[in-house]
Amino acid sequence: MPLHKLENFDPNYRETFNGDDIKSLHLYTESGVKVGAINDALVDDDGRFRYLVIETNIESNSLEKKILLPIGLAHINYPAKSVYVDGLSKQQVEQLPEYHDNIVVDHDYEEQVRSVYRSPSAAVTYNPENYTYEQEPNLYGLHEQYHQTLRLYEERLITNKHRVKTGEVSVGKHIETETARVTVPIQKERVVIERIQPTGAETLVNPNEIHFQEGEVARIEVYEETPEIHKEAFVREEVRVRKVVDRDMVEAQEVIRREELDIDTSGTLHLQENSDKVNH
């Protein structure tokens, strides 16, 4: 698996580490002796740190050399701008192959580095075809005493909706009665008999013109109108029944809990708290 320089793998690695720059850190032994500075870091294809590139400067021995340090041997403390190493002797620095920026870190080169740091009691048989970093967690893993995982829980308000029946509307019809009145004009005929004094009552009538007849009758037909009333049904109005959906926002309030981390320290130790976005 090829290794990559940190900046080549993630040009924005400083933003990934919230502004922290591993290249600006100094290297100290666990006892606090400065032995160099971090020049770069090498990561694998998954972004996991594998080596720190160290510029050694052991003043007591005037030994300056650029070497690789497996990440499992380093403990990074960004607030203190320091990296602490589990022992790094002058003898180891002398035995380690020197690192150059243009060097190809292949399987053979890595094995040369590992052989210097590897414990004599380590039961590791190196085979370049099937070797994995997980075989040597002391060199490439994270120590539990320095990297423990705590799960911090928090409560959240979860919203959901369900339909409930809040009422019912029944629409029907019934019959109401009332007495309606209507006025209809009608005509009735009647016979009026008038007796009047004839004109020329004193005039003598010629006897030859007089014809007395018995039983002469004058007939007049008399009519009257009678009202004719019946009922008919008409559509008075139409009623349409439908549903509409009104939308509203309902605000709920509830007390939720969240776990926060409490850190109690005692004695002399180097403590680092960060949230890495690149896998170490």
Side-chain angles (χ1 to χ4, degrees), residues 65 67 69 82-83 86 114 120 127 144 154 167 182 185 190 197 215 236 239 242 246 254 256 268 274:
K65 187 178 182 180
I67 60 173
L69 177 70
S82 303
V83 176
D86 290 338
R114 282 191 291 265
N127 185 340
E144 288 301 319
E154 69 176 3
V182 63
R190 59 189 176 89
Q197 185 69 31
R236 181 168 61 90
V239 177
R242 61 189 178 93
D246 294 329
E254 185 63 51
I256 61 175
T268 302
N274 59 19

Side-chain angles (χ1 to χ4, degrees), residues 241-272:
V241 180
R242 61 189 178 93
K243 293 194 301 184
V244 296
V245 178
D246 294 329
R247 289 177 171 81
D248 197 3
M249 296 295 294
V250 178
E251 182 176 347
Q253 179 175 302
E254 185 63 51
V255 177
I256 61 175
R257 297 172 296 174
R258 180 178 62 200
E259 294 180 341
E260 294 288 352
L261 187 65
D262 295 328
I263 302 176
D264 296 324
T265 63
S266 62
T268 302
L269 53 82
H270 303 285
L271 178 64
Q272 172 191 357

Side-chain angles (χ1 to χ4, degrees), residues 150-168:
L150 297 178
R151 292 182 177 179
L152 303 181
Y153 296 92
E154 69 176 3
E155 294 177 327
R156 298 178 181 176
L157 293 181
I158 306 300
T159 61
N160 201 352
K161 297 186 296 184
H162 63 279
R163 290 165 59 91
V164 296
K165 183 178 180 179
T166 57
E168 182 177 304

Side-chain angles (χ1 to χ4, degrees), residues 211-217:
H211 301 283
F212 289 95
Q213 296 180 1
E214 185 177 353
E216 183 179 356
V217 178

Side-chain angles (χ1 to χ4, degrees), residues 26 33 42 115 134 160 188 212 262:
H26 296 288
V33 177
L42 302 182
S115 63
E134 287 72 20
N160 201 352
K188 292 182 179 181
F212 289 95
D262 295 328

Side-chain angles (χ1 to χ4, degrees), residues 30 49-50 69-76 83-87 117 119 133 136-150 270-272 280:
E30 289 294 336
F49 277 50
R50 295 307 181 188
L69 177 70
I71 193 63
L73 302 178
H75 308 296
I76 303 172
V83 176
Y84 298 89
V85 59
D86 290 338
Y117 292 107
S119 172
Y133 294 112
E136 298 186 86
N138 60 317
L139 295 182
Y140 301 103
L142 300 178
H143 300 289
E144 288 301 319
Q145 64 266 34
Y146 295 100
H147 303 274
Q148 295 186 7
T149 300
L150 297 178
H270 303 285
L271 178 64
Q272 172 191 357
H280 286 202

Side-chain angles (χ1 to χ4, degrees), residues 184-189 223-226:
V184 181
I186 61 175
Q187 294 179 348
K188 292 182 179 181
E189 296 178 345
Y223 296 89
E224 71 175 20
E225 296 176 334
T226 59

Side-chain angles (χ1 to χ4, degrees), residues 12-262:
N12 300 317
Y13 74 91
R14 295 176 183 84
E15 298 179 8
T16 303
F17 288 100
N18 298 319
D20 293 322
D21 188 357
I22 195 170
K23 296 183 182 181
S24 66
L25 306 184
H26 296 288
L27 182 69
Y28 295 87
T29 64
E30 289 294 336
S31 60
V33 177
K34 184 177 179 181
V35 292
I38 309 301
N39 178 266
D40 208 337
L42 302 182
V43 300
D44 61 19
D45 286 339
D46 296 323
R48 294 184 177 89
F49 277 50
R50 295 307 181 188
Y51 297 97
L52 296 179
V53 179
I54 307 298
E55 289 185 0
T56 60
N57 183 14
I58 303 177
E59 297 178 358
S60 60
N61 297 288
S62 300
L63 182 59
E64 297 183 4
K65 187 178 182 180
K66 191 178 292 186
I67 60 173
L68 297 184
L69 177 70
I71 193 63
L73 302 178
H75 308 296
I76 303 172
N77 188 333
Y78 285 109
K81 296 186 179 300
S82 303
V83 176
Y84 298 89
V85 59
D86 290 338
L88 182 64
S89 65
K90 175 178 179 293
Q91 183 181 3
Q92 286 177 315
V93 175
E94 291 175 343
Q95 293 177 352
L96 285 167
E98 188 168 3
Y99 176 82
H100 300 284
D101 291 337
N102 57 354
I103 199 170
V104 176
V105 180
D106 55 16
H107 293 294
D108 293 337
Y109 185 93
E110 285 192 84
E111 181 58 21
Q112 292 181 51
V113 174
R114 282 191 291 265
S115 63
V116 176
Y117 292 107
R118 187 180 291 137
S119 172
S121 61
V124 177
T125 301
Y126 173 69
N127 185 340
E129 295 182 0
N130 56 20
Y131 179 85
T132 62
Y133 294 112
E134 287 72 20
Q135 292 179 241
E136 298 186 86
N138 60 317
L139 295 182
Y140 301 103
L142 300 178
H143 300 289
E144 288 301 319
Q145 64 266 34
Y146 295 100
H147 303 274
Q148 295 186 7
T149 300
L150 297 178
R151 292 182 177 179
L152 303 181
Y153 296 92
E154 69 176 3
E155 294 177 327
R156 298 178 181 176
L157 293 181
I158 306 300
T159 61
N160 201 352
K161 297 186 296 184
H162 63 279
R163 290 165 59 91
V164 296
K165 183 178 180 179
T166 57
E168 182 177 304
V169 177
S170 297
V171 179
K173 62 180 181 177
H174 66 281
I175 298 175
E176 293 185 354
T177 61
E178 64 175 333
T179 301
R181 290 179 172 82
V182 63
T183 302
V184 181
I186 61 175
Q187 294 179 348
K188 292 182 179 181
E189 296 178 345
R190 59 189 176 89
V191 177
V192 179
I193 299 175
E194 297 180 346
R195 293 184 177 185
I196 61 174
Q197 185 69 31
T199 304
E202 301 298 329
T203 302
L204 182 63
V205 179
N206 186 353
N208 296 326
E209 295 178 359
I210 299 174
H211 301 283
F212 289 95
Q213 296 180 1
E214 185 177 353
E216 183 179 356
V217 178
R219 297 180 182 274
I220 299 177
E221 294 181 347
V222 179
Y223 296 89
E224 71 175 20
E225 296 176 334
T226 59
E228 183 178 315
I229 300 174
H230 66 279
K231 296 186 292 184
E232 293 182 355
F234 298 88
V235 177
R236 181 168 61 90
E237 65 176 317
E238 290 184 350
V239 177
R240 294 181 181 176
V241 180
R242 61 189 178 93
K243 293 194 301 184
V244 296
V245 178
D246 294 329
R247 289 177 171 81
D248 197 3
M249 296 295 294
V250 178
E251 182 176 347
Q253 179 175 302
E254 185 63 51
V255 177
I256 61 175
R257 297 172 296 174
R258 180 178 62 200
E259 294 180 341
E260 294 288 352
L261 187 65
D262 295 328

